[in-house]
Amino acid sequence: MSTTYPIEDSIPLPPEEDAEKPKKKQLTKDEKIEKEKKELLSSVAAADFSSLKPRVAYVLNLYPHTRNSDISLSLKYWEIFQPDLYKDTGILPKNLFKLERLHYIVRARAKIQNEYELFLADSEIKKSRRRNEEKMEGAVIEDAPPRKKVHIFSDETGKTHRYVMVASVWVLTGRAVFTTTKAINDWKAKSLWKNREVHFTKFGKSDYETLKSYLAVILENREYLGFKYIAVERAKTNRPIEETILKLHEHMLIRGAVHEIDNGRIDLPREMEVTVDEEQSLDSFVISDLRDRIGENYTNKFNGKLQLVSLETASSKNSPLIQLSDVIAGAIGRILNHEGERNFKDDMADLVVQMLDLKLDQGNIDGLDSAARFNV
């Protein structure tokens, strides 16, 4: 005899009112502005030029005179980001429709300066901006030079392996940050890697020739690039892994700066901006400590002529230069840490080291309790 069940047992009851999903917290205006400000700084640090605001912020950061004049800002923006349309000799009428609209650039600048309070204009300019535009015609024509900067993009690997290391890409001028990023993005858009991030651990057997083509693009822009790494054997250091990584970053930035200055690749005075992959082991407290230690070292060692003006974390997603530091770290890590049978990954690691001319030197570094392998 079959059993009969009440109809209500077969129909789901509506959820209790108390069981409703918690509502997402609505940000206040100030919280929203602070969130957008942090996102913008992260994009600038990552050299992510995929949208208008980071591009405008990049110009404001590199060319201080553009903070005081929307005309100067727009001209410099077009010169950097749309050189095929903007020429010193003039702009063709048909190209006016293709250039980024001046009022869009001005609106982005106003938001960056007025709401985020970044890259501010001179105090006198802020009081009467429109009237001061007319007074600045000479400065616009003169085209003031950019601030002298070095941008460093760093990544780490090997926390659970024999060697732990930090690798970095040094870009010796602010303008080269964009030209190198653009060169990589232009190549990538036509390559087999069009829809993927570039990470050494993701390389497959069929990626060798694409990697070779990618590295060739890097070499074409090598004039203003430097590649550095520093590694120590974990078992031979007495420090916790987080402190070891902190010391590696510190020595990388100090020894790297000395190397570039001693070899005449950069002169002083100079500003340093450092971007670390946000997926690394350094939390906000360690980042703050590293920022203070490097800043103090630069000030003392170089009599205030070398300054660390920023040390930020950023996602590698839209940053070809953080991804490049990952490729270098991954290749060196493969050579130092892999103990199994040789396969295609070893060939790729050798290709990176060979084409970028990386050395696997070993020596002692003051402040590390283990011999280090380094390339500076």
Side-chain angles (χ1 to χ4, degrees), residues 71-93:
I71 302 299
S72 294
L73 172 61
S74 299
L75 293 176
K76 186 59 67 177
Y77 179 99
W78 294 330
E79 175 195 330
I80 294 173
F81 295 108
Q82 297 180 290
D84 55 325
L85 303 176
Y86 170 82
K87 309 292 182 185
D88 288 341
T89 53
I91 304 171
L92 293 175

Side-chain angles (χ1 to χ4, degrees), residues 318-334:
N318 293 316
S319 178
L321 294 171
I322 295 179
Q323 292 175 32
L324 176 56
S325 68
D326 171 277
V327 170
I328 295 171
I332 298 298
R334 179 74 183 190

Side-chain angles (χ1 to χ4, degrees), residues 38 41 45 246-247 249-251 253-254 272-276 282-300 306-314:
K38 288 180 179 178
L41 288 174
L246 172 64
K247 295 297 290 185
H249 276 285
E250 182 178 354
H251 285 286
L253 294 172
I254 294 170
M272 310 289 273
E273 296 190 350
V274 181
T275 303
V276 178
L282 307 181
D283 60 28
S284 59
F285 296 104
V286 176
I287 287 286
S288 178
D289 184 36
L290 179 61
R291 187 185 295 117
D292 291 342
R293 288 158 70 166
I294 296 298
E296 182 179 357
N297 184 282
Y298 281 174
T299 299
N300 294 336
L306 185 66
Q307 295 184 328
L308 178 67
V309 295
S310 75
L311 198 163
E312 305 287 343
T313 60

